[in-house]
Amino acid sequence: MTRYYQPEIETAPRETIRALQSERLVDAVRRIYNNVPFYREKMQRAGVTPDDIRSVDDLDRLPFSYKQDLRDTYPYGLLAVPLRDVVRLHASSGTTGKQIVAGYTRRDLDIWADCCARALTAAGCDENDVVHVSYGYGLFTGGLGADGGAMKLGATTVPVSSGNTQRQITILQDFGSTILCCTPSYALHIAEVLHQNGLTKDDIHLKAGIFGAEPWTNEMRRQIEEQLGLKAFDIYGLTEIIGPGVAFECGEQTGMHINEDHFIVEVIDPETGRVLPEGEQGELVFSAITKEAFPILRYRTRDIGVISRGKCACGRTLVKMSKPRGRTDDMLIVRGVNVFPSQIESVLLSLGYPANYRIVVDRKANNDSIEVQVEISNDVFSDTVRGLTDRGRQLEDALKSLLGIAARVKLLEPGTIERSTGKAVRVIDKRKLLD
Ligand code: ADP
Ligand code: ZN
């Protein structure tokens, strides 16, 4: 039986959601215009006033917001309420440059927790579950985000945070955790340490996992599900919009439902800024229309995805977004060819390699090169030199046919690549150091 946390919204008719979005957008535009000088000036430069925005149909008249805007106004310049009304600050993990800060009022935290509670419910969580949160707690939104959702459901929350993997295993066993929340790369590391302890999925009690904060492929999903004995659900979000819970996967595992009553999505052509029709791939743009402290309109996420409004068998009417294939910033341009790390991950995992890999891009004498370094499993490691060479070639061929350019392959001993407890670093672009 499908369960929802807020069925009146999650399964509402499209017109109801649209009307709610319009009403909230009009209100958000007014609040922003009146309370944030930075946005007021931006709107004035674009020649729009709050009176021009009457419904979601007018959304594309508003100027975009960029990460740079958050940096230029760091730390408090975009707050729409006085600091005394802000009860919490979070900061992005700074994967790509200087950190940015987001503020939350009490009501913002409440809404955020609702969004995460919807995600947890979709994964089958209720008050009988023990929710093991191994996202980092702190300025990063992962830990406290998932925690807030679990609290809403009355589940038993275990705020382990990330790291100390040996201890995570003990807790998983002893506390009987049923739901695991962490990054997908950390989930695989937990599985690895579990096995190193001579244990298997049958020695723990997990039934579902909610994994996000970084791109991951369906091949990786299968590995996690198999090794930890659970059903793996994707969750998407970013600090600028609220944190995890902007969108969440249901049991169908065919995309993430966007919490549209709080976040309006658009997909645009990143070059021209033109809004693309449903089904076309482009940059995801979000407007957070209910946040009080840190409302943000038409934020350019740089994440690449597709949205679909097709009916979902789970009964939710909220629009779905595909797994983001990565950010425009992660996209590597090697000898003029666009390469997403997630494409490489798909090839590696479908050929049976573990998700312990690194992509090294370099430039020598104006010639770009790409090297894929991947660990091999223990049984393969004992292969003959000849066997290993053949394997490397086979992988090089597979990469070449997928990417359209040659990539060198380097097979590494098990355990060589540093394990991540949060967001995994997959790419080392040495060309950046040369610029
Ligand atoms: P930072 O920008 O420093 O990494 P955040 O923690 O706010 O800080 O990260 C948000 C970003 O993480 C998103 O814009 C997206 O690129 C990535 N992300 C989050 N969840 C997912 C997911 N489920 N799949 C792919 N990427 C994700
Ligand atoms: Zn669904």
Side-chain angles (χ1 to χ4, degrees), residues 67-372:
K67 193 159 212 149
Q68 193 56 41
D69 296 343
L70 280 82
R71 294 192 174 130
D72 290 346
T73 54
Y74 175 90
Y76 297 142
L78 295 184
L79 289 182
V81 298
L83 196 57
R84 68 167 181 276
D85 294 337
V86 173
V87 298
R88 171 106 60 79
L89 294 172
H90 277 285
S92 85
S93 44
T95 313
T96 54
K98 187 177 161 187
Q99 67 172 358
I100 53 92
V101 180
Y104 302 71
T105 63
R106 221 181 277 283
R107 181 165 170 269
D108 293 337
L109 288 182
D110 194 51
I111 285 175
W112 183 22
D114 281 341
C115 291
C116 290
R118 289 181 193 173
L120 281 155
T121 306
C125 178
D126 64 22
E127 70 273 18
N128 298 309
D129 282 294
V130 178
V131 181
H132 184 110
V133 183
S134 311
Y135 283 114
Y137 278 66
L139 285 174
F140 173 53
T141 51
L144 284 162
D147 189 291
M151 287 280 277
K152 280 263 177 181
L153 299 181
T156 308
T157 314
V158 189
V160 237
S161 197
S162 59
N164 198 343
T165 312
Q166 195 61 49
R167 180 156 168 257
Q168 305 263 358
I169 306 288
T170 310
I171 292 175
L172 283 170
Q173 280 197 290
D174 295 353
F175 295 8
S177 315
T178 52
I179 310 248
L180 174 64
C181 303
C182 62
T183 59
S185 54
Y186 193 42
L188 274 181
H189 183 44
I190 290 177
E192 183 177 48
V193 176
L194 182 77
H195 297 145
Q196 283 163 1
N197 279 280
L199 302 169
T200 71
K201 58 187 180 192
D202 300 327
D203 298 301
I204 52 174
H205 319 274
L206 293 173
K207 64 174 191 195
I210 301 181
F211 307 118
E214 62 182 1
W216 53 308
T217 56
N218 277 323
E219 287 80 9
M220 190 149 161
R221 185 206 302 267
R222 277 191 286 278
Q223 286 199 357
I224 297 174
E225 291 189 330
E226 203 177 283
Q227 296 179 23
L228 288 175
L230 48 73
K231 181 157 174 160
F233 295 79
D234 204 352
I235 185 165
Y236 169 86
L238 58 166
T239 316
E240 295 87 322
I241 301 302
I242 204 157
V246 171
F248 63 96
E249 209 167 41
C250 63
E252 300 303 308
Q253 296 183 322
T254 51
M256 292 179 268
H257 291 285
I258 296 170
N259 282 316
E260 284 182 285
D261 49 331
H262 301 297
F263 316 108
I264 304 178
V265 67
E266 297 167 277
V267 178
I268 63 158
D269 176 335
E271 303 293 328
T272 64
R274 194 171 60 88
V275 179
L276 299 174
E278 181 193 335
E280 274 187 41
Q281 174 169 291
E283 179 178 347
L284 300 169
V285 171
F286 285 100
S287 297
I289 47 175
T290 49
K291 276 201 310 178
E292 293 176 329
F294 197 70
I296 193 163
L297 298 176
R298 304 200 83 204
Y299 182 69
R300 303 270 306 247
T301 62
R302 298 189 278 188
D303 290 324
I304 301 293
V306 184
I307 58 167
S308 72
R309 299 200 180 273
K311 213 168 149 51
C312 188
C314 76
R316 288 178 183 78
T317 46
L318 300 170
V319 63
K320 284 200 287 195
M321 60 179 263
S322 63
K323 249 177 185 314
R325 66 184 306 194
R327 310 190 207 209
T328 45
D329 334 18
D330 292 338
M331 189 181 77
L332 295 163
I333 303 181
V334 182
R335 278 174 259 140
V337 176
N338 298 351
V339 177
F340 275 100
S342 55
Q343 293 176 290
I344 295 180
E345 181 179 297
S346 278
V347 176
L348 294 176
L349 272 63
S350 64
L351 289 177
Y353 288 89
N356 300 315
Y357 68 93
R358 199 157 55 197
I359 301 162
V360 183
V361 187
D362 204 353
R363 178 176 294 157
K364 291 219 172 77
N366 286 322
N367 196 9
D368 291 343
S369 65
I370 177 162
E371 180 172 273
V372 177

Side-chain angles (χ1 to χ4, degrees), residues 396-412:
E396 279 176 356
D397 289 346
L399 288 169
K400 170 106 203 242
S401 70
L402 176 98
L403 306 176
I405 48 164
R408 234 187 358 259
V409 163
K410 191 168 174 186
L411 300 179
L412 305 174

